[in-house]
Amino acid sequence: MALFLFLLLSLISFPLSSTEQACSSYAFSSSPEPFTSCVDLPHLNSSLHWSRSQSSAVCIAYRAPQSPNGWIAWGVNPNSSSMVGTHALVAFHHSNGSMVAYPTILDSYSPSLKPQKLGFPVYNVSAEYVKGDMVIYATVGLIGAGEGDAAAKFNQVWQEGSRVVDGVPAMHSVSGDNVLSKGSIELK
């Protein structure tokens, strides 16, 4: 019984790894600014962090655990809650080892995932890889948010895949959490 109690207390006292850490306790290593709000997303062990920089824009950080060979993406779908039509930010390691991040539009179930201009303003897109987490940073103009809006509610989609082929993210899994990683969010 004493051994069981010791093992139980040992497990409880271990600090959470970054992939299990609540978003509110995550410390960014090179965040462009502090984030005032966050939410742990219900799938893929990821989280979204944000701060309203102006009444019609928000600074975001999307964080997800990932291997150095994989990729992550987070986006907004202005018209529905599905993947198709999502205006996304994608990040992965370039073949030279640096992190790459850019906007793209998911126009089909087999999108090109090449850099594209989005239907709303996006600035300061960057990414980093720290302790098994990939992070995308950006300032995003909020769809439908006007001067003085207290909050903006929209559809979001997030994703991850295990491979990048010739500088382009390869298809993600089409089962489990990968098909459930969508929902709505209100940025206050």
Side-chain angles (χ1 to χ4, degrees), residues 97-120:
S98 67
M99 286 296 296
V100 175
Y102 58 82
T104 190
I105 297 176
L106 309 178
D107 55 3
S108 72
Y109 284 107
S110 297
S112 71
L113 291 177
K114 301 277 184 179
Q116 297 179 47
K117 184 176 181 181
L118 302 185
F120 52 86

Side-chain angles (χ1 to χ4, degrees), residues 73-90 103-108 111 113 116-120 143 155-159 181-183:
W74 175 86
V76 173
N77 190 325
N79 301 312
S80 77
S81 62
S82 69
M83 180 189 96
V84 175
T86 296
H87 296 236
L89 303 171
V90 178
T104 190
I105 297 176
L106 309 178
D107 55 3
S108 72
L113 291 177
Q116 297 179 47
K117 184 176 181 181
L118 302 185
F120 52 86
I143 298 168
N155 299 310
Q156 66 173 337
V157 177
W158 60 97
Q159 199 51 257
S181 55
K182 60 186 177 178

Side-chain angles (χ1 to χ4, degrees), residues 68-70 91-101 134 164 166-168:
N69 299 324
F92 56 88
H93 276 106
H94 186 277
S95 60
N96 68 11
S98 67
M99 286 296 296
V100 175
M134 280 189 186
V164 175
D166 296 328
V168 178

Side-chain angles (χ1 to χ4, degrees), residues 160-175:
E160 60 94 35
S162 60
R163 297 181 316 120
V164 175
V165 178
D166 296 328
V168 178
M171 181 69 177
H172 61 74
S173 172
V174 292
S175 64

Side-chain angles (χ1 to χ4, degrees), residues 3-16:
L3 178 60
F4 174 75
L5 186 57
F6 172 77
L7 290 174
L8 182 62
L9 289 173
S10 296
L11 286 174
I12 292 171
S13 66
F14 274 110
L16 295 173

Side-chain angles (χ1 to χ4, degrees), residues 5 12 30 55 58 64 79 91 111 115 129-130 133 151 168 170 188:
L5 186 57
I12 292 171
S30 63
S55 61
V58 63
N79 301 312
Y129 187 75
V130 179
D133 284 338
V168 178
K188 297 180 181 182

